Amino acid sequence: MDTEEDPPQNSAKRQKCSACYKQYKKKEHLIQHMKTSYHSIHEPQCVICRKHCKSFESLREHLMGPLAKGLCSGIFSQGGCKLCLTLADSPASLSEHRETCCLSAPVPLGTSELPYTDSNIDFLDSYDENDADRRPKAIALDCEMVGGGSDGSLEVCARVCLVDEDENLILHTYVKPRLPVTNYRYDITGLTEEHLRDAVPLKQVREKILQILYNGESIAKVRMDGGKARLLVGHSLAYDLDCLEMSYPDHLLRDTAKYRQLMKTNGSSHSLKYLTRTYLGYDIQTGTHDPFEDCISSMRLYKRMRGQSHEEKGNGKLTPSDNIVEMCDRWRSKELDNLTPDELYAISESDYKCWCLDLKPKLANA
């Protein structure tokens, strides 16, 4: 019924999606495709042919994979950046771009110093109601676990690290285990019994983390629209939050393991190690896992995704429609048969929030 590649020029009768370039024999099939594809300006796009892809992994295959599109692959191989998948206009500009795009690995904290570090930040992200830049700030979190239980398979939080957007260390501490530790997982964590002997109780650590994240905002406001609360960045955050025995509103989570654009083509997650090497250009976790190193890497990934520039549609709407009923009615309209492929794309909206929207100030009445 459909094909994946660009249609030949003489296939005028076939219906072509304006975003992913799939072709359909019937208009009704194209309409059905648009109803379920959620194409939008926020999808990764080929810098050469402008084809939309569901993820950067899919775009990478389009540009550099074994079945890469010939024209796009040839042009990209001459002037493309393999990290951010952008195209430079000259060898000199490509070389200059790579110097800033390929980052240096952060220096790990190690396990011999900094048993407890607290920056004592005092709600630095507070903003005035009339402040034009009322966007939420972000904090990255990473935890290291040791093993509890008879076989050491139970996850027990043993170390916590937080960094801010400028990669400053906000909090670092060892955590007193809630269960007897039966496996310190030394090869991975680098931790021993000595590191946890005088560690901070989990409840105290959790309260400190929430104090930093809430940023002086009320719990009700945080749950409703976030208010002044900080965004929480990390990789597989549900895993860390579960071990900390804490929760945080989903709309304030920025998880690099769950973000659509960073996932595999089959919808599963990549490891933080893979994402860091592929998108930032350096290796992590080459020895023991360091939470400071992981925090900075997840924050850098978040900021790179957040920094994408997506041109607004004619009506200026960047977010998925808040009125789901209205959106469904729009796709049930009998007028859809009369719309061109471009017009069908114009009313299509993303089914997830793009992180680029975090840079847009909140409305004054939010």
Side-chain angles (χ1 to χ4, degrees):
M1 181 178 70
D2 58 83
T3 59
E4 295 287 343
E5 301 299 329
D6 288 301
Q9 295 298 319
N10 59 358
S11 298
K13 292 183 180 181
R14 297 180 68 85
Q15 301 292 326
K16 173 185 172 183
C17 174
S18 296
C20 67
Y21 301 157
K22 285 185 177 180
Q23 302 173 72
Y24 297 87
K25 293 180 179 180
K26 297 181 179 180
K27 184 65 167 291
E28 62 188 82
H29 296 156
L30 172 61
I31 293 174
Q32 183 60 36
H33 162 74
M34 295 302 295
K35 288 180 179 179
T36 58
S37 64
Y38 301 102
H39 287 311
S40 77
I41 57 175
H42 299 289
E43 292 178 307
Q45 298 179 39
C46 174
V47 292
I48 300 160
C49 71
R50 310 311 300 176
K51 176 183 177 179
H52 289 230
C53 298
K54 287 298 183 182
S55 66
F56 279 104
E57 186 85 349
S58 178
L59 177 57
R60 197 174 299 275
E61 291 182 1
H62 171 77
L63 292 170
M64 298 182 291
L67 299 178
K69 184 71 174 177
L71 175 62
C72 298
S73 176
I75 296 176
F76 186 81
S77 65
Q78 298 298 315
C81 174
K82 295 182 179 180
L83 295 178
C84 65
L85 305 183
T86 57
L87 189 67
D89 55 11
S90 69
S93 60
L94 177 60
S95 178
E96 182 178 349
H97 167 80
R98 283 173 174 167
E99 291 181 2
T100 58
C101 192
C102 184
L103 304 179
S104 300
V107 178
L109 287 179
T111 57
S112 60
E113 299 178 355
L114 297 172
Y116 183 87
T117 300
D118 179 2
S119 70
N120 292 316
I121 57 175
D122 186 22
F123 309 138
L124 298 179
D125 296 344
S126 299
Y127 48 63
D128 186 87
E129 288 297 322
N130 297 317
D131 189 354
D133 183 19
R134 299 178 68 246
R135 69 175 181 83
K137 302 301 192 297
I139 294 289
L141 164 74
D142 187 70
C143 302
E144 291 300 327
M145 319 298 178
V146 292
S150 59
D151 60 355
S153 63
L154 296 180
E155 302 293 341
V156 180
C157 184
R159 192 180 185 190
V160 175
C161 183
L162 271 70
V163 301
D164 65 12
E165 291 189 24
D166 297 320
E167 302 182 5
N168 298 310
L169 182 63
I170 298 301
L171 175 69
H172 171 268
T173 183
Y174 296 117
V175 182
K176 186 175 182 179
R178 295 288 295 271
L179 300 172
V181 179
T182 54
N183 185 355
Y184 283 90
R185 303 173 183 174
Y186 180 79
D187 291 343
I188 297 176
T189 66
L191 300 180
T192 64
E193 182 180 358
E194 185 65 26
H195 290 100
L196 307 183
R197 190 181 305 278
D198 299 315
V200 181
L202 178 63
K203 180 180 179 181
Q204 184 177 333
V205 174
R206 181 170 60 246
E207 290 175 349
K208 183 62 180 179
I209 293 173
L210 289 174
Q211 178 190 19
I212 293 171
L213 293 176
Y214 282 168
N215 193 30
E217 193 61 270
S218 67
I219 295 178
K221 184 69 171 176
V222 170
R223 290 176 177 174
M224 182 173 62
D225 65 6
K228 296 178 294 185
R230 296 175 169 98
L231 302 174
L232 180 58
V233 176
H235 191 80
S236 299
L237 280 170
Y239 179 67
D240 289 333
L241 292 175
D242 182 60
C243 288
L244 288 168
E245 299 178 14
M246 63 175 276
S247 61
Y248 203 57
D250 288 345
H251 65 275
L252 296 177
L253 300 181
R254 301 294 181 265
D255 194 335
T256 55
K258 300 297 182 183
Y259 190 49
R260 187 80 56 82
Q261 298 182 16
L262 292 175
M263 298 180 78
K264 299 179 182 179
T265 54
N266 64 5
S268 59
S269 301
H270 280 295
S271 66
L272 180 60
K273 183 173 184 176
Y274 172 87
L275 292 176
T276 300
R277 182 176 65 251
T278 304
Y279 294 91
L280 302 178
Y282 62 88
D283 289 312
I284 61 171
Q285 301 173 357
T286 54
T288 57
H289 291 199
D290 189 279
F292 179 69
E293 184 181 53
D294 291 354
C295 269
I296 289 182
S297 297
S298 60
M299 178 63 79
R300 288 175 175 179
L301 283 166
Y302 164 70
K303 291 171 66 177
R304 182 151 290 186
M305 294 295 105
R306 186 185 66 179
Q308 296 177 87
S309 178
H310 297 140
E311 62 182 50
E312 299 185 13
K313 291 185 179 181
N315 59 6
K317 283 178 60 179
L318 280 171
T319 57
S321 174
D322 292 328
N323 190 337
I324 301 300
V325 174
E326 175 186 340
M327 187 165 62
C328 291
D329 287 343
R330 184 189 309 164
W331 285 114
R332 284 198 294 264
S333 171
K334 295 180 180 179
E335 301 299 322
L336 291 177
D337 288 337
N338 298 323
L339 298 182
T340 66
D342 286 345
E343 290 171 335
L344 287 171
Y345 169 67
I347 64 173
S348 178
E349 296 179 0
S350 174
D351 62 341
Y352 68 95
K353 180 177 179 178
C354 181
W355 288 351
C356 77
L357 299 174
D358 290 341
L359 289 179
K360 296 185 72 66
K362 292 185 177 181
L363 298 176
N365 60 353

